[in-house]
Amino acid sequence: MTPSSRRAAAVAAASLSLALAACGGTTSPTAVGSAPAPQLVMTGAQVGYAVWPSGVRWVVLGTTDGWRTVVNRTPVAVPTDGGLVLSARGAQVAVGVLPFQQLLVSPVLQSSGPGRVWTPSQLPSALVATTSAVARAEGATYAVLADGGVVAAVDGTSSWAPATSAQRLAPDGHLTMSGVVFPDGRTGFVMGAGSSDRPVLFTGAGSSWAAVRLPVTGGGTATALPPCLAGGTWVAPVALEGHLELFTAASPTGPWAAGPDLRTTATPVVACGPHQVWAALPDGGSDVLRTAAPGGAWTTRGDLGTHVTGLAPVSDTSAFAVDSDPSHVVAVSLAADGSTATTSLPLPAWVATVGGAAMRN
């Protein structure tokens, strides 16, 4: 990035953050979701991004060599103390800023190409505090708001239009929105949590969304985890009380079939590789890795030696992961005998300090 482009990006982002701070009060909105968490997004076998804690702020890191080296990709002049969420598809990257102090609505900054000149826009309210709050699609970006709305902005514009809402999808009020994803760039899924006898997953794009009818078994609360693609098969994981159910279909509109479920004491981390599904399930002091072909039986691969909070497969035998230790990224590989090996990839010391001291509004 040239000095002039850096200054232009800084002025635009600073103007946005000051405008947002000026229009707010002194209390933060009630956001649905969890606290900010480290996040990995891989766009290639060695290329990807991470949302990472640093000092009192959160930063965006980038790599082109599988986390052996990293660069700072954080948008400038935006208060990131409340956390960030990131979505990327190819060269297109969208970063959402979670509320912090007087920042009561969320900016979204978008970029394309290696120069990383960030274009800011303003959502109508705050983002939901989950890692799936923002999603890149072909030609648009989607965002899920803490008030239960879903909005979208067409590329080249800064205007966010309503796409759908929890009230529209579930008029009875039994739905808590948790995120949106576009696994193939064209087909979207809105996820939520609610009663297991009601839909918690919806598919569509634009302003047209329909309930995904999953044959969920058991009672209690069901939480739809982000769907993904393994080969040509759609995969929809659902966490229920005490177990994980994995549903598969040839089409996002179904019909959906249930595969063997997994017992788990907490919400697992599930992700798709090119032809199989990976799941990290809490088991005692660490997570056990299991894999399965879509619709097939689960195979135990071994103990990961840590509690994984994010998993990004880049092939059917290798993945990158994040855990509670912010000093490293974990490389996970499956050996020929089916066992699991993990390698710690230490991050440079500057990652821990670049966030600096608290930003004051």
Side-chain angles (χ1 to χ4, degrees):
M1 185 185 296
T2 65
S4 60
S5 63
R6 287 194 188 97
R7 286 193 295 271
V11 169
S15 299
L16 176 63
S17 65
L18 289 173
L20 295 177
C23 71
T26 58
T27 60
S28 297
T30 300
V32 178
S34 60
Q39 180 186 5
L40 279 183
V41 177
M42 300 300 294
T43 59
Q46 300 289 313
V47 180
Y49 302 89
V51 168
W52 216 254
S54 172
V56 297
R57 301 193 185 117
W58 289 75
V59 297
V60 176
L61 306 177
T63 186
T64 57
D65 60 3
W67 302 107
R68 290 170 179 79
T69 59
V70 300
V71 293
N72 186 2
R73 295 296 192 190
T74 313
V76 298
V78 177
T80 66
D81 305 54
L84 299 170
V85 293
L86 182 145
S87 179
R89 177 165 297 279
Q92 301 284 336
V93 181
V95 175
V97 182
L98 297 179
F100 172 72
Q101 291 186 358
Q102 292 178 318
L103 186 69
L104 302 185
V105 295
S106 291
V108 173
L109 300 105
Q110 301 190 64
S111 174
S112 62
R116 288 285 165 257
V117 176
W118 296 96
T119 301
S121 63
Q122 176 181 322
L123 292 171
S125 60
L127 280 167
V128 66
T130 70
T131 55
S132 300
V134 173
R136 274 295 308 166
E138 290 184 358
T141 300
Y142 288 73
V144 177
L145 307 177
D147 60 13
V150 181
V151 294
V154 176
D155 287 356
T157 72
S158 58
S159 176
W160 293 87
T164 190
S165 67
Q167 184 177 14
R168 179 178 172 186
L169 297 175
D172 60 5
H174 296 286
L175 177 67
T176 300
M177 308 287 277
S178 60
V180 59
V181 293
F182 279 76
D184 65 349
R186 300 179 300 278
T187 305
F189 291 92
V190 168
M191 299 91 69
S195 174
S196 60
D197 61 358
R198 292 180 172 89
V200 292
L201 185 66
F202 305 84
T203 186
S207 60
S208 179
W209 298 84
V212 175
R213 303 292 177 179
L214 301 173
V216 177
T217 59
T221 300
T223 301
L225 305 181
C228 53
L229 269 171
T233 301
W234 295 91
V235 177
V238 176
L240 295 112
E241 295 176 5
H243 64 114
L244 167 72
E245 290 196 23
L246 198 69
F247 302 94
T248 58
S251 165
T253 57
W256 293 82
D261 68 357
L262 287 172
R263 295 292 172 182
T264 178
T265 58
T267 302
V269 176
V270 183
C272 284
H275 301 99
Q276 67 177 354
V277 185
W278 298 55
L281 293 98
D283 185 7
S286 62
D287 289 351
V288 170
L289 178 67
R290 290 181 171 88
T291 61
W298 290 98
T299 299
T300 301
R301 298 297 188 178
D303 195 323
L304 290 171
T306 186
H307 281 303
V308 168
T309 59
L311 187 62
V314 294
S315 73
D316 284 328
T317 58
S318 61
F320 294 99
V322 291
D323 58 20
S324 58
D325 186 343
S327 69
H328 65 256
V329 172
V330 180
V332 182
S333 60
L334 301 181
D337 62 2
S339 63
T340 300
T342 59
T343 303
S344 176
L345 302 175
L347 296 177
W350 61 259
V351 170
T353 59
V354 68
M359 179 178 287
R360 300 188 182 276
N361 291 330

